[in-house]
């Protein structure tokens, strides 16, 4: 920029010297140089004088152009320098803003830590609450299961009741004849091809094992659900094949119906073909207490050992 100003100054000096030398040579009034309107006045009233001074006026116009171009160039240089200065200022300002922002983020970090601590405390509280609720729920389930196992308020199952039937010796008996003894009852029929024989064999073996392992006497009883074919003689021949203590009971259709209803036993005759039919019935062994009250039933899934162990366990708990 300094070199440009020096160059323009030299041009100004050369132009000034040339102009003054020309004015002195032609004696041109200074007022005509400074006022274009006055030059027009001279040209209209003194054409000869203006014609002689045309060269001087042209020189003056050249000088004015030179001055204007110099001032414009200087103005551009100043504008560019101011732009550079403003750009640098903006840049430095941006850097300062970034630094200040960075400073804010650094200075603002305790707020973020505070938020993090709040979040951790909230999560810990939720976990603690969930764990507490879970433990309480587990305790409720455990207490409920214990109460169900103990079941003192559940009451006694409505199984059993008075009955009157005929034993395999032809004697009329009732439930009172079995009081004072632990009784195992099984409902079936003598013409059963497989299920009844299997269950009676299991029952007979369990009776002996209960006596051997627990020292407990039990009375096995077979009650027919086929009164039409299971006569006293038929039942007598049937029960002696399984155990000498096994007692067989039969009766009329109404008597069998009543005892089956009392012990919640299902039975139904299937399709008949020339008096050869089967009876569909429940496959259950009932354990009855010495007062002929119901204690527990055992299904077909129990083998000899589980049946014997189950009976011994129930009798011991009942005595306690």
């Amino acid at each position: 920029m300094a070199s440009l100003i020096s160059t323009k100054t030299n041009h100004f000096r050369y132009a000034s010297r040339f102009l003054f030398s020309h004015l002195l040579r032609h004696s041109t009034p200074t007022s005509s140089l400074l006022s274009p309107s006055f030059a027009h006045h001279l040209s209209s009233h003194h054409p000869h004088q203006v014609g002689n001074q045309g060269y001087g006026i042209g020189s003056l116009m050249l000088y004015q152009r030179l001055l204007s171009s110099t001032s414009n160039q200087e103005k551009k240089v100043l504008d560019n320098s101011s732009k550079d200065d403003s750009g640098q200022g903006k840049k430095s300002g941006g850097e300062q803003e970034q630094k200040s922002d960075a400073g804010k983020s650094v200075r603002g970090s305790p707020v973020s830590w505070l938020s993090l601590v709040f979040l951790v405390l909230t999560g810990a509280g939720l976990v603690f609450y969930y764990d507490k609720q879970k433990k309480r729920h587990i305790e409720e389930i455990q207490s409920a299961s214990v109460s169900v196992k103990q079941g003192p308020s559940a009451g006694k199952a409505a199984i059993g009741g008075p009955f009157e039937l005929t034993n395999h010796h032809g004697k009329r008996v009732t439930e009172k004849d079995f009081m004072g003894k632990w009784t195992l009852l099984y409902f079936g029929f003598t013409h059963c091809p497989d299920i009844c024989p299997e269950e009676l064999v299991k029952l007979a073996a369990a009776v002996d094992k209960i006596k051997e392992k627990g020292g407990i006497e039990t009375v096995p009883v077979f009650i027919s659900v086929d009164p039409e074919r299971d006569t006293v003689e038929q039942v007598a021949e049937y029960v002696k094949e399984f155990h000498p203590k096994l007692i067989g009971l039969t009766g009329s259709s109404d008597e069998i119906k009543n005892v089956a209803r009392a012990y919640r036993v299902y039975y139904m005759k299937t399709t008949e073909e020339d008096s050869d039919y089967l009876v569909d019935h429940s496959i259950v062994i009932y354990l009855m207490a010495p007062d002929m009250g119901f204690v527990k039933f055992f299904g077909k899934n129990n083998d000899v050992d589980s049946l014997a162990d189950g009976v011994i366990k129930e009798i011991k708990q009942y005595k306690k």
Side-chain angles (χ1 to χ4, degrees):
M1 178 179 177
S3 61
L4 180 61
I5 294 173
S6 177
T7 303
K8 296 302 179 180
T9 303
N10 293 330
H11 289 171
F12 177 74
R13 290 175 182 174
Y14 295 151
S16 298
R17 290 176 183 176
F18 177 77
L19 179 61
F20 282 111
S21 63
H22 184 75
L23 289 175
L24 293 174
R25 190 181 307 122
H26 294 279
S27 301
T28 304
T30 57
S31 60
S32 63
L33 295 174
L34 299 175
S35 177
S37 61
F38 184 72
H40 178 70
H41 176 73
L42 290 177
S43 63
S44 59
H45 292 85
H46 306 285
H48 178 71
Q49 186 178 359
V50 173
N52 292 331
Q53 295 175 352
Y55 181 77
I57 294 172
S59 300
L60 180 60
M61 294 177 65
L62 178 63
Y63 173 70
Q64 289 177 347
R65 291 180 182 177
L66 180 62
L67 290 178
S68 62
S69 63
T70 302
S71 62
N72 292 331
Q73 290 179 359
E74 290 176 355
K75 184 177 180 181
K76 289 181 179 179
V77 171
L78 292 174
D79 292 338
N80 292 330
S81 64
S82 63
K83 288 181 180 179
D84 293 337
D85 293 338
S86 63
Q88 292 178 356
K90 291 180 180 179
K91 183 176 181 181
S92 62
E95 292 177 354
Q96 291 177 357
E97 290 178 357
Q98 291 178 357
K99 290 180 180 179
S100 63
D101 293 339
K104 287 181 180 178
S105 63
V106 172
R107 290 193 298 270
S109 60
V111 178
S112 299
W113 280 110
L114 189 61
S115 301
L116 180 60
V117 171
F118 178 74
L119 180 62
V120 170
L121 291 177
T122 304
L126 291 174
V127 171
F128 177 76
Y129 175 77
Y130 174 77
D131 186 62
K132 186 177 180 181
Q133 293 294 325
K134 183 178 179 181
K135 288 181 179 178
R136 189 179 72 175
H137 184 63
I138 292 173
E139 289 176 357
E140 290 177 355
I141 293 174
Q142 289 177 350
S143 62
S145 63
V146 169
S147 62
V148 169
K149 288 180 180 178
Q150 293 175 352
S153 61
K156 204 170 184 179
I159 296 177
F163 63 84
E164 186 175 358
L165 297 171
T166 303
N167 65 14
H168 64 280
H169 298 295
K171 182 183 177 180
R172 299 289 290 177
V173 296
T174 64
E175 76 283 354
K176 295 179 182 180
D177 294 313
F178 298 95
M179 288 185 175
K181 306 171 186 177
W182 288 95
T183 306
L184 292 168
L185 297 178
Y186 175 78
F187 290 78
F189 64 107
T190 61
H191 290 76
C192 181
D194 48 12
I195 300 297
C196 291
E198 292 177 0
E199 291 299 302
L200 289 174
V201 168
K202 180 172 69 177
L203 176 60
V207 168
D208 292 338
K209 188 160 286 190
I210 292 168
K211 176 66 180 299
E212 179 184 350
K213 293 179 67 174
I216 302 170
E217 292 284 348
T218 56
V219 179
V221 177
F222 167 77
I223 300 177
S224 174
V225 291
D226 185 12
E228 295 181 12
R229 295 181 297 184
D230 286 345
T231 61
V232 173
E233 294 77 18
Q234 179 69 24
V235 172
E237 291 293 328
Y238 188 71
V239 295
K240 69 179 182 182
E241 297 180 1
F242 300 100
H243 198 280
K245 290 185 178 181
L246 181 59
I247 297 174
L249 300 177
T250 187
S252 65
S253 297
D254 292 337
E255 291 172 347
I256 297 300
K257 186 183 296 183
N258 291 334
V259 69
R261 185 183 296 113
Y263 284 86
R264 304 294 187 270
V265 174
Y266 160 80
Y267 71 99
M268 185 179 68
K269 185 190 295 186
T270 62
T271 304
E272 231 181 284
E273 291 183 7
D274 298 333
S275 336
D276 188 11
Y277 58 86
L278 297 177
V279 180
D280 188 17
H281 62 88
S282 303
I283 306 173
V284 179
I285 296 175
Y286 296 96
L287 173 62
M288 309 301 292
D291 60 353
M292 286 304 287
F294 171 76
V295 178
K296 190 175 182 179
F297 69 87
F298 300 88
K300 188 177 182 297
N301 57 324
N302 293 102
D303 57 10
V304 175
D305 292 330
S306 63
L307 176 59
D309 294 339
V311 170
I312 293 171
K313 179 180 177 182
E314 292 298 328
I315 292 174
K316 288 181 179 180
Q317 289 181 354
Y318 184 87
K319 290 180 178 181
K320 289 181 181 180

